[in-house]
Amino acid sequence: MADRATDKGQKPFLRIHNISKHFAEVRAVDEVSLDIQQGEFFCLLGGSGSGKSTLLRMIAGLETATSGHIEIEGQDVTNVPPWSRPVNMMFQSYALFPHMNVEKNIAYGLKQDNWPKEEMDARVQELLDLVQLGEYGKRKPNQLSGGQRQRVALARALARKPKVLLLDEPLSALDKKLREETQRQLVAIQKEIGTTFIMVTHDQEEAMSIATRIGVMDRAKLIQVEAPREMYERPANKMIAGFIGQVNLFEGKVSRKGNTQIITSVDTGGTLEVSEKIALADGQVIWVAVRPERILLKTKPKGRAAKAINKANGKLTDIMYLGGITHIQVTLDSEHPVRITISEHWDGDEAKLKLGDAVEISFEKRAARLLVS
Ligand code: ADP
Ligand code: MG
């Protein structure tokens, strides 16, 4: 690995440079740049139609870029046909050949490459073991469960040792329990072989639990690229804040009081303060984002705080006990709804919470993130 890195002058493993794809008047992908390192499990996350599959298909070479270029290990592959790229795409399990057994499905590409029989058999066995289907080589796809078929599709896609494996919503056909199990297996397999995986998903929980880094796409643009935790802590805008987990947004307007800028909020009926220092214009509308678990809840508030900072009054409008945690909704006096998650560490008495109770919510400056779009 070390010599390879020096050979290529430490260039990123996969470099996507200012790539666009237009279908007639539709901009499917709009000037996306992205570097991916060797060994990453990268997730492209976004709503339907945001351009994820088109970007993936351009990496695979299945779609020609309108402009921009793609490099793999320092080599420009923009005009290299798909079969000559060190890349493979995993299709959903229904793309398996139904008349061929598992071994033959996995060996398909190796056979086309004229691998010697012994080497081919050894490779197939290695792959069967990797996806924990050692005993299932002779079965036909219809004699397997959905999860097992998915693992055969994975083994087949990995057979020729691609340097990058592309996966387009590979688990979307599986039910929730099986999907979670398959996610774990996928992560374990990726770790074991160290191949770079790039997976498309519209499921933020899936991306959060699998990815080394997530790239969020919205309307053909790549909006933010970040590791899951950082994405959750520092979303770039309202869309991402709401997409990655749950969030409360308090709208604020920047105004001036003497020499100081303040943010007043119709949602809280007071002012908002955050610890970040961001230059704002007088009159600008902003949003303060606070995660449900960072909102502090106080029952039996003593009247209404004058000049309240990051604080508001309201009443309890929903309580949902979920064992270890409780989801609560408070409707503020402004009618603005606030979601709160309290854990067993809460210092109040959960059992005494009643719908309609008057409460006070607040949050610390450092729990709040300022968003300008
Ligand atoms: P996603 O995978 O995020 O759901 P896609 O990459 O499939 O999004 O599509 C992005 C946009 O490009 C959509 O508006 C889609 O309709 C359009 N698009 C994708 N493929 C084609 C195509 N072959 N011809 C015309 N428009 C396309
Ligand atoms: Mg898609």
Side-chain angles (χ1 to χ4, degrees):
M1 292 311 283
D3 54 316
R4 192 199 291 167
T6 35
D7 281 353
K8 307 289 177 195
Q10 303 284 4
K11 280 203 175 179
F13 180 68
L14 173 73
R15 165 158 277 185
I16 296 167
H17 187 74
N18 218 17
I19 208 152
S20 297
K21 176 70 187 181
H22 301 170
F23 294 105
E25 70 281 7
V26 178
R27 279 172 193 233
V29 171
D30 196 10
E31 299 191 339
V32 166
S33 293
L34 171 66
D35 286 347
I36 294 179
Q37 303 305 328
Q38 204 286 323
E40 276 204 78
F41 199 141
F42 193 92
C43 279
L44 278 171
L45 175 66
S48 173
S50 55
K52 307 179 296 296
S53 294
T54 306
L55 180 56
L56 204 70
R57 291 169 59 78
M58 284 194 282
I59 299 171
L62 299 169
E63 211 72 82
T64 319
T66 308
S67 61
H69 61 263
I70 296 175
E71 285 173 25
I72 298 175
E73 292 190 307
Q75 199 205 336
D76 192 328
V77 297
T78 316
N79 298 310
V80 173
W83 56 89
S84 303
R85 296 187 187 197
V87 168
N88 202 6
M89 181 103 129
M90 176 180 145
F91 293 94
Q92 282 189 353
S93 61
Y94 51 69
L96 293 176
F97 303 114
H99 58 287
M100 286 187 193
N101 68 22
V102 167
E103 283 174 357
K104 293 214 164 84
N105 263 287
I106 295 174
Y108 186 77
L110 305 178
K111 208 160 180 179
Q112 287 200 315
D113 284 355
N114 296 314
W115 277 44
K117 181 160 183 353
E118 257 173 47
E119 272 177 52
M120 188 163 70
D121 289 349
R123 178 68 182 145
V124 169
Q125 195 53 52
E126 188 182 15
L127 287 157
L128 281 171
D129 292 340
L130 178 71
V131 299
Q132 297 179 2
L133 288 173
E135 314 288 298
Y136 294 80
K138 302 288 182 226
R139 294 221 192 160
K140 294 272 179 64
N142 66 4
Q143 294 169 311
L144 299 175
S145 71
Q148 290 169 333
R149 278 202 292 273
Q150 205 52 55
R151 272 138 63 196
V152 178
L154 177 65
R156 189 175 67 175
L158 289 171
R160 294 153 86 183
K161 303 191 179 171
K163 288 181 174 160
V164 183
L165 184 72
L166 306 173
L167 308 99
D168 194 347
E169 313 235 8
L171 312 179
S172 58
L174 307 178
D175 66 47
K176 188 172 158 60
K177 189 160 174 287
L178 189 55
R179 196 162 71 226
E180 285 172 359
E181 197 183 309
T182 315
Q183 284 167 1
R184 268 191 292 278
Q185 287 166 341
L186 209 50
V187 170
I189 289 168
Q190 192 270 341
K191 275 216 179 93
E192 186 174 337
I193 60 177
T195 303
T196 306
F197 279 25
I198 306 176
M199 184 171 104
V200 160
T201 180
H202 63 266
D203 179 339
Q204 59 93 6
E205 270 181 42
E206 183 164 285
M208 290 290 279
S209 60
I210 285 186
T212 52
R213 283 191 308 154
I214 298 173
V216 176
M217 290 195 71
D218 183 34
R219 284 168 288 175
K221 294 269 191 196
L222 185 65
I223 307 292
Q224 187 175 12
V225 178
E226 208 80 71
R229 180 177 291 274
E230 283 67 38
M231 181 88 71
Y232 186 80
E233 298 287 346
R234 292 191 292 278
N237 62 25
K238 283 190 290 174
M239 187 278 291
I240 294 176
F243 199 49
I244 306 280
Q246 293 206 331
V247 73
N248 293 292
L249 292 172
F250 301 101
E251 191 176 313
K253 192 163 181 184
V254 182
S255 64
R256 194 158 281 276
K257 202 174 178 187
N259 279 331
T260 2
Q261 243 181 2
I262 58 164
I263 302 170
T264 55
S265 173
V266 286
D267 291 334
T268 64
T271 58
L272 300 172
E273 282 184 13
V274 299
S275 38
E276 296 158 283
K277 296 269 172 285
I278 296 178
L280 299 169
D282 290 349
Q284 188 177 350
V285 173
I286 57 89
W287 293 266
V288 166
V290 189
R291 299 290 180 188
E293 67 276 16
R294 307 293 293 274
I295 302 251
L296 307 169
L297 179 73
K298 203 160 115 187
T299 53
K300 303 199 187 79
K302 293 186 190 70
R304 154 181 303 281
K307 281 189 264 165
I309 303 165
N310 295 351
K311 205 179 260 186
N313 290 82
K315 57 180 193 298
L316 279 182
T317 43
D318 194 38
I319 305 168
M320 201 160 105
Y321 294 103
L322 287 178
I325 56 166
T326 303
H327 290 302
I328 283 171
Q329 183 171 289
V330 169
T331 301
L332 300 183
D333 294 349
S334 63
E335 300 288 317
H336 188 70
V338 176
R339 286 185 232 236
I340 307 170
T341 308
I342 55 175
S343 72
E344 53 205 3
H345 305 299
W346 188 51
D347 56 12
D349 187 352
E350 262 183 64
K352 286 195 181 140
L353 293 175
K354 280 193 323 297
L355 291 182
D357 279 356
V359 293
E360 179 189 280
I361 65 119
S362 61
F363 51 89
E364 292 179 33
K365 274 195 216 182
R366 60 189 168 86
R369 173 153 175 96
L370 181 72
L371 301 173
V372 297
S373 65

Coordinates of all heavy atoms in Angstrom, one line a residue, residues 218-274:
D218 N -28.9 16.6 -3.3 CA -30.3 17.2 -3.4 C -30.3 17.9 -4.8 O -29.5 18.7 -5.1 CB -30.4 18.2 -2.3 CG -31.8 18.8 -2.3 OD1 -32.8 18.1 -2.7 OD2 -32.0 20.0 -1.9
R219 N -31.3 17.6 -5.5 CA -31.5 18.2 -6.8 C -30.2 18.4 -7.7 O -29.8 19.5 -8.0 CB -32.2 19.6 -6.7 CG -33.7 19.5 -6.3 CD -34.3 20.8 -5.9 NE -33.8 21.1 -4.6 CZ -34.1 22.2 -3.9 NH1 -34.8 23.2 -4.5 NH2 -33.6 22.4 -2.7
A220 N -29.6 17.2 -7.9 CA -28.5 17.1 -8.8 C -27.1 17.6 -8.2 O -26.1 17.4 -8.8 CB -28.7 17.8 -10.1
K221 N -27.2 18.2 -7.0 CA -26.0 18.8 -6.4 C -25.6 17.9 -5.2 O -26.4 17.4 -4.5 CB -26.3 20.2 -5.8 CG -26.5 21.2 -6.9 CD -25.3 21.9 -7.4 CE -25.6 23.1 -8.2 NZ -24.3 23.5 -9.0
L222 N -24.3 17.8 -5.0 CA -23.7 17.2 -3.8 C -23.6 18.3 -2.7 O -22.9 19.3 -2.9 CB -22.4 16.6 -4.1 CG -21.7 15.8 -2.9 CD1 -22.5 14.6 -2.6 CD2 -20.3 15.4 -3.3
I223 N -24.5 18.2 -1.7 CA -24.6 19.3 -0.8 C -23.6 19.3 0.4 O -23.0 20.3 0.8 CB -26.0 19.4 -0.1 CG1 -27.1 19.3 -1.2 CG2 -26.2 20.5 0.8 CD1 -27.2 20.6 -2.0
Q224 N -23.3 18.1 0.9 CA -22.4 18.0 2.1 C -21.8 16.6 2.1 O -22.5 15.6 1.8 CB -23.2 18.3 3.4 CG -22.3 18.4 4.6 CD -23.0 18.8 5.9 OE1 -24.2 18.7 5.9 NE2 -22.2 19.1 6.9
V225 N -20.5 16.6 2.4 CA -19.8 15.3 2.6 C -19.2 15.3 3.9 O -18.4 16.2 4.3 CB -18.7 15.1 1.5 CG1 -18.0 13.8 1.7 CG2 -19.3 15.2 0.1
E226 N -19.5 14.2 4.7 CA -19.1 14.2 6.1 C -19.2 12.8 6.7 O -20.0 12.0 6.2 CB -20.0 15.2 6.9 CG -19.4 15.8 8.1 CD -18.5 17.0 7.8 OE1 -19.1 18.1 7.4 OE2 -17.3 16.9 8.0
A227 N -18.5 12.6 7.7 CA -18.6 11.3 8.5 C -20.0 11.4 9.2 O -20.5 12.5 9.5 CB -17.5 11.1 9.5
P228 N -20.6 10.2 9.5 CA -22.0 10.3 10.0 C -22.2 11.2 11.2 O -23.1 12.0 11.3 CB -22.3 8.8 10.4 CG -21.4 8.0 9.4 CD -20.2 8.8 9.2
R229 N -21.3 11.0 12.2 CA -21.4 11.8 13.4 C -21.3 13.3 13.2 O -22.1 14.1 13.7 CB -20.4 11.4 14.5 CG -20.4 12.1 15.8 CD -19.4 11.6 16.7 NE -19.7 10.2 17.2 CZ -20.5 9.9 18.2 NH1 -21.1 10.9 18.9 NH2 -20.8 8.7 18.6
E230 N -20.4 13.7 12.4 CA -20.2 15.1 12.1 C -21.3 15.6 11.3 O -21.8 16.8 11.5 CB -18.9 15.3 11.3 CG -17.6 15.3 12.1 CD -17.3 13.9 12.7 OE1 -17.6 12.9 12.0 OE2 -16.8 13.8 13.8
M231 N -21.9 14.8 10.4 CA -23.1 15.3 9.6 C -24.2 15.5 10.6 O -25.0 16.5 10.4 CB -23.4 14.1 8.6 CG -24.6 14.4 7.7 SD -24.2 15.3 6.2 CE -23.3 14.1 5.2
Y232 N -24.4 14.7 11.6 CA -25.5 14.8 12.5 C -25.2 16.1 13.4 O -26.2 16.8 13.7 CB -25.5 13.6 13.4 CG -26.7 13.5 14.4 CD1 -28.0 13.1 13.9 CD2 -26.5 13.9 15.7 CE1 -29.0 13.1 14.8 CE2 -27.6 13.8 16.6 CZ -28.8 13.4 16.2 OH -29.9 13.4 17.0
E233 N -24.0 16.3 13.8 CA -23.7 17.4 14.7 C -23.7 18.7 13.9 O -24.0 19.8 14.5 CB -22.3 17.2 15.4 CG -22.2 16.0 16.3 CD -22.9 16.2 17.6 OE1 -23.3 17.3 17.9 OE2 -23.2 15.1 18.2
R234 N -23.2 18.7 12.7 CA -23.0 20.0 11.9 C -23.7 19.9 10.6 O -23.0 20.0 9.5 CB -21.5 20.3 11.8 CG -20.9 20.6 13.1 CD -19.5 21.2 12.9 NE -18.5 20.2 12.3 CZ -17.9 19.3 13.1 NH1 -18.1 19.3 14.4 NH2 -17.1 18.4 12.5
P235 N -25.0 19.7 10.5 CA -25.6 19.7 9.2 C -25.4 21.1 8.5 O -25.4 22.1 9.2 CB -27.1 19.4 9.5 CG -27.3 19.9 10.9 CD -26.0 19.6 11.6
A236 N -25.3 21.0 7.2 CA -25.0 22.3 6.4 C -26.2 23.1 6.2 O -26.1 24.4 6.1 CB -24.4 21.9 5.1
N237 N -27.4 22.5 6.2 CA -28.6 23.3 6.0 C -29.8 22.6 6.6 O -29.7 21.5 7.1 CB -28.8 23.7 4.5 CG -29.0 22.4 3.6 OD1 -29.4 21.4 4.1 ND2 -28.7 22.5 2.4
K238 N -31.0 23.3 6.5 CA -32.2 22.7 7.0 C -32.6 21.4 6.5 O -33.0 20.5 7.2 CB -33.4 23.7 6.7 CG -33.4 24.9 7.6 CD -34.7 25.7 7.4 CE -34.8 26.3 6.0 NZ -36.1 26.9 5.7
M239 N -32.4 21.2 5.2 CA -32.8 20.0 4.5 C -32.0 18.8 5.1 O -32.6 17.8 5.5 CB -32.5 20.1 3.0 CG -33.0 18.9 2.2 SD -31.9 17.5 2.1 CE -30.5 18.1 1.2
I240 N -30.7 19.0 5.3 CA -29.9 17.9 5.8 C -30.1 17.7 7.3 O -30.2 16.6 7.8 CB -28.4 18.2 5.6 CG1 -28.1 18.2 4.0 CG2 -27.5 17.2 6.3 CD1 -26.7 18.5 3.6
A241 N -30.4 18.8 8.0 CA -30.7 18.7 9.5 C -31.9 17.8 9.7 O -32.0 17.0 10.6 CB -30.9 20.1 10.1
G242 N -32.9 18.0 8.8 CA -34.1 17.2 8.9 C -34.0 15.8 8.3 O -34.7 14.9 8.8
F243 N -33.1 15.7 7.4 CA -33.0 14.4 6.7 C -32.2 13.4 7.6 O -32.5 12.2 7.6 CB -32.3 14.7 5.4 CG -32.4 13.6 4.4 CD1 -33.6 13.0 4.1 CD2 -31.3 13.1 3.7 CE1 -33.8 12.0 3.1 CE2 -31.4 12.1 2.7 CZ -32.6 11.6 2.5
I244 N -31.1 13.9 8.2 CA -30.3 13.1 9.1 C -30.8 13.2 10.5 O -30.4 14.1 11.2 CB -28.8 13.6 9.0 CG1 -28.3 13.7 7.6 CG2 -27.9 12.7 9.9 CD1 -27.8 12.4 7.0
G245 N -31.6 12.3 10.9 CA -32.2 12.4 12.2 C -33.3 13.4 12.3 O -33.7 14.0 11.4
Q246 N -33.8 13.6 13.6 CA -34.9 14.5 13.8 C -34.3 15.8 14.3 O -33.3 15.8 15.0 CB -35.9 13.9 14.8 CG -36.6 12.7 14.2 CD -37.9 12.6 14.9 OE1 -38.1 12.9 16.0 NE2 -38.8 12.0 14.1
V247 N -35.0 16.9 14.0 CA -34.4 18.2 14.5 C -35.6 19.2 14.7 O -36.6 19.1 14.1 CB -33.5 18.7 13.4 CG1 -34.2 19.2 12.2 CG2 -32.6 19.8 14.0
N248 N -35.4 20.1 15.7 CA -36.3 21.2 15.9 C -35.7 22.4 15.2 O -34.5 22.7 15.4 CB -36.5 21.4 17.4 CG -37.2 20.3 18.0 OD1 -38.4 20.1 17.8 ND2 -36.5 19.6 18.9
L249 N -36.4 23.1 14.4 CA -35.9 24.3 13.8 C -36.7 25.5 14.4 O -37.9 25.6 14.3 CB -36.1 24.3 12.3 CG -35.3 23.3 11.5 CD1 -35.8 23.2 10.1 CD2 -33.8 23.6 11.6
F250 N -36.0 26.5 14.9 CA -36.6 27.7 15.4 C -36.2 28.8 14.5 O -35.0 29.1 14.3 CB -36.2 28.0 16.8 CG -36.5 26.9 17.8 CD1 -35.5 26.0 18.2 CD2 -37.8 26.8 18.4 CE1 -35.8 25.0 19.1 CE2 -38.1 25.8 19.3 CZ -37.1 24.9 19.6
E251 N -37.2 29.5 13.9 CA -36.9 30.5 13.0 C -36.6 31.8 13.7 O -37.2 32.1 14.7 CB -38.1 30.8 12.0 CG -37.8 31.7 10.9 CD -39.0 31.8 9.9 OE1 -39.6 30.8 9.5 OE2 -39.2 33.0 9.5
G252 N -35.6 32.5 13.2 CA -35.2 33.8 13.9 C -35.0 34.9 12.9 O -34.8 34.6 11.7
K253 N -35.0 36.1 13.3 CA -34.8 37.2 12.5 C -33.7 38.1 13.1 O -33.8 38.4 14.3 CB -36.0 38.0 12.2 CG -35.9 39.0 11.1 CD -37.2 39.5 10.6 CE -37.0 40.5 9.4 NZ -38.2 41.1 9.0
V254 N -32.7 38.4 12.3 CA -31.6 39.2 12.9 C -32.0 40.7 13.0 O -32.5 41.2 12.0 CB -30.3 39.1 12.0 CG1 -29.2 39.8 12.6 CG2 -30.0 37.6 11.8
S255 N -31.8 41.3 14.2 CA -32.1 42.7 14.3 C -31.0 43.3 15.2 O -30.1 42.7 15.6 CB -33.5 42.9 14.8 OG -33.6 42.4 16.1
R256 N -31.2 44.6 15.4 CA -30.1 45.3 16.1 C -30.7 46.0 17.3 O -31.8 46.5 17.3 CB -29.5 46.4 15.2 CG -28.3 47.0 15.6 CD -27.5 47.5 14.4 NE -26.8 46.5 13.7 CZ -25.6 46.0 14.0 NH1 -25.0 46.5 15.1 NH2 -25.0 45.1 13.3
K257 N -30.0 45.9 18.4 CA -30.4 46.6 19.6 C -29.2 47.4 20.1 O -28.3 46.8 20.6 CB -30.8 45.5 20.7 CG -31.7 46.0 21.7 CD -32.2 44.8 22.6 CE -33.0 45.3 23.8 NZ -33.3 44.2 24.7
G258 N -29.3 48.7 19.8 CA -28.1 49.5 20.1 C -27.0 49.0 19.2 O -27.2 49.0 17.9
N259 N -25.9 48.6 19.8 CA -24.7 48.2 19.0 C -24.7 46.7 18.8 O -23.8 46.2 18.0 CB -23.4 48.6 19.6 CG -23.1 50.1 19.3 OD1 -23.5 50.6 18.2 ND2 -22.4 50.7 20.2
T260 N -25.6 46.0 19.4 CA -25.5 44.5 19.4 C -26.6 43.9 18.4 O -27.7 44.4 18.4 CB -25.8 43.9 20.8 OG1 -26.1 44.9 21.7 CG2 -24.7 43.0 21.2
Q261 N -26.1 42.9 17.7 CA -27.1 42.1 16.9 C -27.8 41.1 17.8 O -27.1 40.4 18.6 CB -26.3 41.4 15.8 CG -26.7 41.9 14.4 CD -25.9 41.1 13.3 OE1 -25.1 40.2 13.6 NE2 -26.2 41.6 12.1
I262 N -29.1 41.0 17.6 CA -29.8 40.0 18.4 C -30.7 39.2 17.4 O -30.9 39.7 16.3 CB -30.7 40.5 19.5 CG1 -31.7 41.6 18.9 CG2 -29.9 41.2 20.6 CD1 -32.8 41.8 19.9
I263 N -31.1 38.0 17.8 CA -32.0 37.2 16.9 C -33.3 37.0 17.7 O -33.3 36.4 18.8 CB -31.3 35.8 16.6 CG1 -30.0 36.0 15.9 CG2 -32.3 35.0 15.7 CD1 -29.2 34.7 15.8
T264 N -34.3 37.6 17.1 CA -35.6 37.4 17.8 C -36.4 36.3 17.0 O -36.2 36.1 15.8 CB -36.5 38.7 17.7 OG1 -36.6 39.1 16.4 CG2 -35.8 39.8 18.5
S265 N -37.2 35.5 17.8 CA -37.9 34.4 17.2 C -39.4 34.4 17.5 O -39.8 34.5 18.7 CB -37.3 33.1 17.8 OG -38.1 32.0 17.3
V266 N -40.2 34.4 16.5 CA -41.6 34.3 16.7 C -42.0 32.9 17.3 O -43.0 32.8 17.9 CB -42.5 34.6 15.4 CG1 -42.5 36.0 15.1 CG2 -42.0 33.7 14.3
D267 N -41.1 31.9 17.0 CA -41.4 30.6 17.4 C -41.3 30.5 19.0 O -42.1 29.8 19.6 CB -40.5 29.5 16.8 CG -40.8 29.4 15.3 OD1 -42.0 29.6 14.9 OD2 -39.9 29.0 14.5
T268 N -40.2 31.1 19.5 CA -40.0 30.9 21.0 C -40.6 32.2 21.7 O -40.8 32.1 22.9 CB -38.5 30.8 21.4 OG1 -37.9 32.0 21.0 CG2 -37.9 29.6 20.7
G269 N -40.9 33.3 21.0 CA -41.3 34.5 21.6 C -40.2 35.2 22.4 O -40.5 36.1 23.2
G270 N -39.0 34.8 22.2 CA -37.9 35.4 22.9 C -36.7 35.6 21.9 O -36.9 35.8 20.7
T271 N -35.5 35.5 22.4 CA -34.4 35.6 21.5 C -33.6 34.3 21.5 O -33.8 33.5 22.4 CB -33.4 36.8 22.0 OG1 -33.0 36.5 23.3 CG2 -34.0 38.1 22.0
L272 N -32.8 34.2 20.4 CA -32.0 33.0 20.2 C -30.5 33.3 20.3 O -30.1 34.4 19.8 CB -32.3 32.4 18.9 CG -33.8 32.0 18.6 CD1 -34.0 31.6 17.1 CD2 -34.2 30.8 19.5
E273 N -29.8 32.4 20.9 CA -28.3 32.6 20.9 C -27.6 31.3 20.7 O -28.0 30.3 21.2 CB -27.9 33.2 22.3 CG -28.1 34.7 22.5 CD -27.6 35.2 23.8 OE1 -26.8 34.5 24.5 OE2 -27.9 36.4 24.1
V274 N -26.5 31.4 19.9 CA -25.8 30.2 19.6 C -24.3 30.5 19.9 O -23.9 31.7 20.0 CB -25.9 29.8 18.1 CG1 -27.3 29.4 17.8 CG2 -25.4 30.8 17.2

